Amino acid sequence: MSQWNQIQQLEMRLLEQVDYLYDDNFPMDIRQGLAGWIEAQDWDSAAGNDSLAAVLFTDLLCQLEVALSRELNFLQRHNMKLIQQHLQVKYGNNPAAMSRVISNCLKEERRILSSSCMQEQGPIEKSLQNPVALERQKNMDQRIRMIAASVQMMDQGVKYIENMQDDFDFRYKTLKSRDPSERKCELMEEEVTRLQEILNRLDFKRKEILSKMAIVIQEIDDLMNSQLDAELRDWKRRQQMVAIGSPLIISLDQLQNWFTLTAQSLFQVKRQLDKLAELVLKVTYESDPIPMQKPQMEERVKYLIYHIIKSSFLVEKQPCMSTHPQKPLVIKTGVQFSTKVRLLVKLPVDDYRLKVKTTFDKDLPPGRVRQFFIVTTTTKAMDIEDFTSGCLSVDFRHALKEKKSNSTKTHNESLLSVTEELHSLSFEAHFTILGLDIDLETCSLPLVVISNVSQMPGAWASVMWYNLLNDEPKNLAFFSNPARATWAQLSEVLSWQFSANSNLGLNKDQLNMLGEKLLGQHFSNSDQVYWSKFWKENIPGKPFSFWIWLDSILELIRKHLLPVWNENYIMGFVSKEMERSLLRGKESGTFLLRFSESHLGGITFTWVQHNDYGEPSFNSVEPYTKSRLNAVHFPDMIRDYKVISDRVVHENPLKFLYPDIPKDEAFGQLYNKLPSKVNPYIPSTLIPWSEMRSSSASPPSPTCDSPEPPMTPGAFDMLNKTLCCDMDDVLPCY
């Protein structure tokens, strides 16, 4: 099924997000009409390749011609012709811009489809993306268009005043140039009366235009304070959520459009005020409103311009290593990371050369032992990334190195661990516009710096916890007294960790099992989780913490189980009691896959077997960890698994994937292909097997009740408590 067909089957709340992607930059009519062709092209490559972009642009126009020739509806043909002309005008000289637009639209569509795979939106997503927010954004569009229209009308008003003043000036100078003896004649008196009428009319128009300007300036002020700043805060909050795995959409295009249009209206009002100042130099009079009102208005407009430009300077892409694209804000010393800064406002002149300087740990909290410096170039000029929008941006690629410290204090003596130390990357620029000196400054979200990849789990835990619970980018002392998370908040973020690395998040049952593991059986969504319990404290009876255990499972999925997880074949998080309850009434050979609770990064399977009396027994294989899965493809292991009992090799006991899917039907597409028959060598296969031992006094049984050789109950209990895994019903696998 094509991506566009999948999009059309989404529920209404997601379709509203799709609707917001398409505008004059790329009309939805084209997306609909050329869906298959559009999805078959490599727009990502074309976005950075002018030659390829030009070819695709030409092909797109040809595809539109073909579509036009087949279209029978007159109105639709008319609309498509207009769209074709619009695209030629907009992208004819810059086809790469069109490729970037289409590439972004397709990416956002895929993100929306990915979010639809989650069973239900969590409270965080609901709070940041809901119908009320979409309605607010539509209202924003309307307000900005109305302001732009009002400013355009004021342009005409200023032009009308200029023409009226030119007429007055000409008449006045003509009258003044006449011989004094002629000034008392009737015609002259009529001309003086006419001049007075023009002056009165001019005074009225000046007051009228100043009044309109005051209203527009107030409207822009209200818009910026009540909506534009709020939308910027919301975008930054969404960016935090996306950084820790959320499928929310964080395109800057709409926000950039709002900022640029609002700023352009302010620039235009500033030019209108300058024009009125010029008119005053030519014609003024007693009680002239311009000298009295213009200075105050101009100061207010300058302040608004200063504010909108300063607030539009932001970090578009948070620092991230290419080696760990799913874990931004964790930086390893000596490894290059990239980040991107953008100015949302299009400046009125194209030749501004803004140089941006980066600084690491500009405001470092006192008492820090570890300090770092940037080993690459720290200053770089912003450039126009997209000539269609004209906005400036700059990409940085940096690497960090730790400074040698003379401090005698060691990391172990610090109250915070290495992975709890937060750092920041600051960006500064300075330029002058319209007589205003503007200092731009922004900073990244807090970073965690590590020196070894073994510190990655703790570093990522810190990044998640901080961004979940705090929206202040400079709170670098956060972990000196970390806030607590509710289970409702934390469970949503944990689900994101799975969906960010695959096509599936966690369902309600899986999250409930995790909640019980962390908080106990009788927990609720409002229960609070302490940072130490999540990351530092070991799970009772285990030598590792909750997050270390869960992170090891994520790593196992990413490296070895991704196809199986994406097919939703792994039940994953289920207690042994629930496992047996689910399998008890199923046919012999029915099995399910779950993650080990006793091993880090382990997956096991349990199957049910009924005896002649219908009594069930349950068999669990020793968990497969990454060291064993490096040698055996997991679906092949399911296919080839064998059980040996009393030196007899029995057939594969795994028949049906829970609830009742035939094993080969479920995993057939995931098996590695068997060797070709033309291969001259005798094929060899690694066969996973388990040995079931039985005593000589009893017949062979598929159930492994205790380890061999036999031992006393006391010795067995002592060994069982010492080991991490539960010895009952666990079969070693070779």
Side-chain angles (χ1 to χ4, degrees):
M1 184 185 295
S2 72
Q3 182 170 308
W4 187 246
N5 286 337
Q6 294 179 59
I7 286 290
Q8 294 178 352
Q9 296 179 12
L10 294 175
E11 57 183 293
M12 185 55 64
R13 69 176 178 86
L14 296 174
L15 285 175
E16 288 177 348
Q17 296 178 30
V18 176
D19 178 61
Y20 218 71
L21 296 176
Y22 294 97
D23 51 24
D24 290 343
N25 290 322
F26 184 43
M28 190 179 288
D29 302 66
I30 303 299
R31 180 68 180 96
Q32 169 80 22
L34 304 179
W37 180 84
I38 287 172
E39 292 172 25
Q41 311 310 310
D42 188 0
W43 299 105
D44 293 343
S45 297
N49 186 320
D50 291 341
S51 299
L52 179 57
V55 171
L56 287 182
F57 179 64
T58 303
D59 288 350
L60 177 65
L61 295 179
C62 291
Q63 292 290 330
L64 283 175
E65 284 290 347
V66 173
L68 272 170
S69 65
R70 296 173 179 171
E71 182 58 58
L72 300 178
N73 185 288
F74 173 76
L75 181 59
Q76 189 65 20
R77 280 175 58 86
H78 174 74
N79 290 337
M80 290 184 71
K81 284 181 179 179
L82 292 178
I83 290 172
Q84 188 179 37
Q85 294 169 5
H86 170 73
L87 293 178
Q88 286 175 318
V89 172
K90 190 174 185 67
Y91 299 119
N93 296 325
N94 186 17
M98 184 195 73
S99 295
R100 282 193 290 271
V101 170
I102 298 177
S103 174
N104 288 335
C105 286
L106 294 177
K107 286 178 183 176
E108 295 299 345
E109 284 182 9
R110 288 191 289 272
R111 181 180 284 277
I112 293 170
L113 284 172
S114 176
S115 70
S116 71
C117 294
M118 297 185 67
Q119 285 69 14
E120 184 181 355
Q121 271 193 316
I124 301 174
E125 284 187 53
K126 286 180 179 178
S127 68
L128 292 172
Q129 200 166 41
N130 53 59
V132 174
L134 292 172
E135 192 62 35
R136 186 181 69 234
Q137 291 168 356
K138 290 178 181 178
N139 174 260
M140 184 88 157
D141 283 334
Q142 185 178 5
R143 285 188 72 179
I144 289 175
R145 284 197 299 269
M146 290 177 64
I147 288 172
S150 298
V151 172
Q152 199 62 38
M153 291 293 293
M154 290 190 322
D155 252 0
Q156 298 176 17
V158 171
K159 186 65 177 176
Y160 180 83
I161 290 173
E162 183 180 17
N163 292 337
M164 182 186 294
Q165 183 168 306
D166 287 344
D167 181 39
F168 174 86
D169 190 48
F170 175 76
R171 289 173 180 271
Y172 178 77
K173 288 179 178 177
T174 301
L175 179 63
K176 194 173 182 180
S177 66
R178 290 187 179 181
D179 190 276
S181 61
E182 298 178 358
R183 295 181 182 176
K184 293 185 179 181
C185 67
E186 186 175 339
L187 289 175
M188 290 292 291
E189 290 178 357
E190 290 179 359
E191 185 64 18
V192 170
T193 302
R194 175 64 178 159
L195 281 173
Q196 186 61 51
E197 290 175 352
I198 294 175
L199 187 60
N200 291 341
R201 181 69 176 165
L202 183 63
D203 180 64
F204 174 79
K205 284 296 181 182
R206 284 186 173 185
K207 290 176 179 176
E208 182 183 54
I209 197 70
L210 289 168
S211 175
K212 289 180 178 179
M213 282 184 177
I215 292 173
V216 168
I217 293 169
Q218 182 61 47
E219 179 67 14
I220 294 175
D221 196 346
D222 290 343
L223 175 78
M224 289 172 57
N225 287 318
S226 65
Q227 285 187 274
L228 197 58
D229 287 350
E231 290 294 338
L232 179 60
R233 286 193 301 271
D234 284 353
W235 181 87
K236 289 182 177 180
R237 186 59 180 155
R238 288 197 300 274
Q239 187 188 44
Q240 283 186 274
M241 296 301 101
V242 169
I244 57 176
S246 168
L248 289 170
I249 298 172
I250 58 165
S251 171
L252 268 175
D253 293 344
Q254 185 63 73
L255 196 61
Q256 177 178 289
N257 188 51
W258 289 335
F259 267 82
T260 293
L261 290 177
T262 304
Q264 286 176 346
S265 292
L266 285 169
F267 295 147
Q268 204 166 347
V269 172
K270 176 66 170 63
R271 288 193 294 269
Q272 291 166 358
L273 287 169
D274 291 343
K275 187 64 179 179
L276 291 179
E278 291 177 14
L279 296 179
V280 169
L281 295 176
K282 295 179 180 179
V283 175
T284 189
Y285 48 88
E286 188 178 351
S287 301
D288 186 347
I290 294 177
M292 291 187 290
Q293 298 182 37
K294 174 187 169 292
Q296 184 179 358
M297 284 188 180
E298 189 170 39
E299 285 301 312
R300 196 172 178 193
V301 169
K302 284 183 177 181
Y303 169 78
L304 294 175
I305 291 173
Y306 176 88
H307 177 73
I308 198 169
I309 291 177
K310 197 171 178 67
S311 60
S312 75
F313 188 59
L314 52 78
V315 179
E316 178 181 359
K317 178 187 174 185
Q318 294 294 333
C320 183
M321 299 186 294
S322 60
T323 54
H324 293 78
Q326 302 297 337
K327 294 183 177 179
L329 303 172
V330 178
I331 307 300
K332 183 179 179 294
T333 52
V335 176
Q336 189 181 76
F337 64 92
S338 61
T339 185
K340 183 178 181 180
V341 179
R342 180 184 286 198
L343 187 68
L344 295 180
V345 171
K346 179 182 178 180
L347 300 178
V349 183
D350 293 335
D351 60 353
Y352 279 100
R353 297 290 293 173
L354 267 70
K355 290 188 176 181
V356 180
K357 180 182 179 181
T358 57
T359 307
F360 195 78
D361 277 344
K362 181 182 177 181
D363 302 309
L364 190 67
R368 285 287 177 88
V369 176
R370 299 195 312 155
Q371 296 184 28
F372 304 88
F373 63 94
I374 299 171
V375 296
T376 47
T377 303
T378 58
T379 302
K380 197 174 178 181
M382 301 189 83
D383 198 4
I384 296 177
E385 175 187 328
D386 183 352
F387 285 91
T388 304
S389 66
C391 292
L392 298 170
S393 66
V394 59
D395 288 283
F396 286 98
R397 283 173 173 77
H398 289 317
L400 296 177
K401 188 174 182 180
E402 186 169 0
K403 294 180 181 179
K404 292 183 178 179
S405 175
N406 296 323
S407 174
T408 57
K409 188 177 181 180
T410 66
H411 297 320
N412 292 331
E413 293 171 338
S414 174
L415 293 176
L416 299 179
S417 68
V418 167
T419 57
E420 292 173 315
E421 287 184 0
L422 300 179
H423 305 264
S424 70
L425 190 64
S426 303
F427 305 88
E428 297 174 326
H430 175 85
F431 73 110
T432 301
I433 181 174
L434 302 176
L436 289 170
D437 289 327
I438 301 181
D439 291 313
L440 300 176
E441 183 175 355
T442 189
C443 65
S444 70
L445 292 169
L447 309 171
V448 178
V449 182
I450 61 176
S451 57
N452 192 293
V453 291
S454 64
Q455 297 167 328
M456 179 63 77
W460 183 241
S462 296
V463 169
M464 285 193 300
W465 203 265
Y466 179 93
N467 288 286
L468 170 63
L469 301 173
N470 187 39
D471 58 5
E472 170 53 54
K474 295 185 179 181
N475 186 10
L476 302 184
F478 174 80
F479 282 105
S480 61
N481 185 24
R484 289 168 285 183
T486 65
W487 174 246
Q489 293 174 311
L490 183 58
S491 62
E492 189 173 0
V493 174
L494 295 181
S495 181
W496 291 346
Q497 305 315 299
F498 288 82
S499 61
N501 289 278
S502 66
N503 294 334
L504 289 176
L506 300 179
N507 60 37
K508 186 176 181 180
D509 291 336
Q510 291 168 328
L511 290 172
N512 281 341
M513 187 272 181
L514 292 180
E516 289 180 2
K517 192 170 187 67
L518 187 61
L519 297 167
Q521 286 190 338
H522 305 291
F523 75 95
S524 68
N525 282 336
S526 60
D527 284 355
Q528 293 188 330
V529 182
Y530 287 85
W531 163 244
S532 58
K533 189 174 184 64
F534 174 73
W535 152 243
K536 294 183 176 182
E537 298 173 7
N538 287 344
I539 298 172
K542 303 295 187 294
F544 43 77
S545 69
F546 175 85
W547 170 246
I548 290 295
W549 169 70
L550 196 62
D551 182 72
S552 69
I553 290 171
L554 284 163
E555 189 73 2
L556 190 73
I557 291 174
R558 188 176 67 84
K559 290 186 175 180
H560 300 288
L561 303 175
L562 194 56
V564 184
W565 176 263
N566 284 339
E567 292 293 338
N568 204 18
Y569 290 158
I570 301 176
M571 187 169 291
F573 302 103
V574 56
S575 65
K576 180 171 288 189
E577 293 75 17
M578 178 57 69
E579 175 187 70
R580 296 190 173 192
S581 175
L582 293 172
L583 291 174
R584 189 177 303 278
K586 295 298 179 181
E587 190 172 343
S588 289
T590 301
F591 66 99
L592 57 78
L593 307 175
R594 65 177 176 86
F595 297 117
S596 171
E597 296 183 63
S598 56
H599 289 65
L600 285 179
I603 185 169
T604 184
F605 53 84
T606 300
W607 74 91
V608 63
Q609 195 75 33
H610 297 276
N611 62 20
D612 294 339
Y613 300 101
E615 297 171 342
S617 59
F618 306 93
N619 307 281
S620 297
V621 72
E622 183 181 348
Y624 281 79
T625 58
K626 62 181 181 181
S627 60
R628 297 168 69 188
L629 291 175
N630 283 330
V632 182
H633 182 52
F634 189 67
D636 291 353
M637 187 277 301
I638 296 290
R639 178 191 63 196
D640 301 329
Y641 181 72
K642 295 289 187 294
V643 171
I644 298 177
S645 176
D646 293 333
R647 299 186 179 182
V648 176
V649 179
H650 298 274
E651 66 175 5
N652 191 336
L654 309 179
K655 305 295 184 184
F656 304 97
L657 177 66
Y658 182 87
D660 54 10
I661 309 172
K663 174 190 62 183
D664 291 336
E665 180 181 320
F667 295 96
Q669 295 297 320
L670 304 178
Y671 295 152
N672 281 333
K673 293 183 179 179
L674 295 174
S676 170
K677 292 182 179 179
V678 300
N679 191 328
Y681 298 103
I682 298 174
S684 62
T685 305
L686 289 174
I687 302 295
W689 58 277
S690 297
E691 183 177 4
M692 291 185 177
R693 298 171 181 165
S694 59
S695 65
S696 58
S698 59
S701 168
T703 304
C704 181
D705 293 321
S706 65
E708 295 288 345
M711 57 183 71
T712 65
F716 174 81
D717 289 339
M718 183 178 297
L719 180 62
N720 199 17
K721 290 178 181 178
T722 303
L723 296 178
C724 294
C725 60
D726 187 351
M727 297 291 292
D728 289 341
D729 304 331
V730 176
L731 302 180
C733 187
Y734 304 93

